[in-house]
Amino acid sequence: MELKRLQLNNHRNYAHLDLAPGPGVNVFVGANGQGKTNLLEAVAMLALSSSPRARRDLELLGPVTPAARIHAEVESAGRGLEVTITLHGEGERVRRVIEVDGVRRRGFDLPGHFRVTLFWPDDLGLVKAGPEQRRRFLNQMLVQIEPGYARNLAALRRVLEQRNSLLKRIAAGEEAAGVLEAWNAELVAYGSEIAGARARAVEQLRPYAAESHAEIAAGEQLEITYVGPPENFEDAVEKSLSDDLRRGSTTIGPHHDDLLIQLDGRD
């Protein structure tokens, strides 16, 4: 896969950019705050459909207009593609429009058309930060290589939003607990697909991670382990109901998974 051309309009600090990368490796050099990371972020968005670092799309809009555009010409699997992401600011909200060769696509349909490998200072959070950062790492990898993963992830987020809303209504006496059955089934179905994909990916990464670490830290043994939902996921969801009602949120599922990183058996 090759990035042939990148155009940015009002993306963060770029009022306008029209870049045609050279063949092979391209190196971007500049002082702090000039936009090197913003440029890489835009490329990553073409692969992931959303920013890997912004909490809200509103952060991506530059000062020129309440809209931003990222457009790229890429070569993938021997054919050319044009990918465009347009952000329309509407007050405190941002509407995202994604197009591939001029055809509108949903966010979970974009990953896989163009793939990237990300590495920047924030990745130190894989070790230093909490589980959310490690789940994000797995998600950013898997949406690009695992068919259906992005769709399952979007579905799981919808299920959690609906289930958590119902938990609050049940706790307030506004709904009966029976309304959760359908959402529990979807939580288990989508959650199992996501957990399975993560477990397979970590199992494949395990020997490469250990070998790479051994090359730079002789004598230390690195081990990575996926910590997913309980083995009997369905029973665990049912047994967690009282705790879920008390907290007003879903306490069992892949949204609480982690990637355990150990050196010589120590976390």
Side-chain angles (χ1 to χ4, degrees):
M1 297 186 182
E2 186 176 353
L3 179 64
K4 296 290 190 179
R5 187 178 184 185
L6 177 68
Q7 294 177 314
L8 303 180
N9 294 98
N10 202 42
H11 171 71
R12 292 207 186 252
N13 67 327
Y14 286 96
H16 177 73
L17 173 73
D18 193 341
L19 172 69
V25 177
N26 288 254
V27 179
F28 299 95
V29 180
N32 290 340
Q34 298 304 300
K36 300 185 298 297
T37 302
N38 294 343
L39 175 64
L40 298 179
E41 174 188 46
V43 175
M45 287 183 65
L46 297 167
L48 303 173
S49 81
S50 60
S51 169
R53 57 197 282 255
R55 289 290 181 179
R56 299 192 304 160
D57 281 349
L58 199 62
E59 300 172 27
L60 305 174
L61 303 182
V64 181
T65 66
R69 181 176 180 268
I70 301 171
H71 176 79
E73 297 173 13
V74 303
E75 187 173 296
S76 176
R79 71 185 188 95
L81 289 174
E82 292 194 18
V83 181
T84 305
I85 299 177
T86 308
L87 304 175
H88 300 276
E90 300 170 350
E92 289 297 309
R93 302 182 63 183
V94 175
R95 180 167 54 89
R96 188 187 314 163
V97 177
I98 297 172
E99 296 174 294
V100 177
D101 287 339
V103 179
R104 290 276 294 266
R105 297 295 183 97
R106 289 169 292 187
F108 53 71
D109 289 328
L110 180 59
H113 286 88
F114 177 65
R115 295 175 181 173
V116 299
T117 300
L118 301 172
F119 182 77
W120 45 29
D122 290 355
D123 287 341
L124 293 175
L126 287 173
V127 177
K128 295 183 176 182
E132 182 181 2
Q133 183 91 353
R134 292 182 282 277
R135 289 193 297 270
R136 186 180 303 141
F137 164 76
L138 292 174
N139 289 341
Q140 289 174 356
M141 172 180 62
L142 286 166
V143 295
Q144 300 184 72
I145 63 174
E146 180 79 12
Y149 187 88
R151 186 182 295 269
N152 287 334
L153 198 61
L156 177 66
R157 288 169 178 156
R158 174 183 59 84
V159 169
L160 290 173
E161 182 179 337
Q162 294 294 328
R163 190 176 188 274
N164 291 344
S165 176
L166 281 173
L167 286 169
K168 294 180 177 67
R169 291 176 62 82
I170 293 169
E174 299 173 2
E175 293 279 2
V179 298
L180 284 176
E181 289 184 8
W183 295 108
N184 288 351
E186 292 202 18
L187 171 62
V188 172
Y190 291 119
S192 296
E193 291 289 335
I194 290 169
R198 288 175 177 174
R200 291 190 298 272
V202 172
E203 192 61 31
Q204 288 182 303
L205 284 174
R206 184 200 300 266
Y208 296 105
E211 181 181 349
S212 297
H213 184 77
E215 291 178 358
I216 60 175
E220 286 186 345
Q221 183 176 355
L222 173 70
E223 187 168 350
I224 58 174
T225 306
Y226 174 63
V227 183
E231 186 173 344
N232 197 328
F233 191 4
E234 186 174 1
D235 283 352
V237 169
E238 292 180 3
K239 291 176 181 177
S240 70
L241 178 58
S242 59
D243 198 21
D244 289 357
L245 288 171
R246 180 173 57 83
R247 295 172 181 263
S249 64
T250 303
T251 58
I252 299 291
H255 55 299
H256 289 296
D257 293 354
D258 200 357
L259 180 63
L260 181 63
I261 302 174
Q262 294 180 307
L263 280 178
D264 294 333
R266 300 188 304 273
D267 293 356

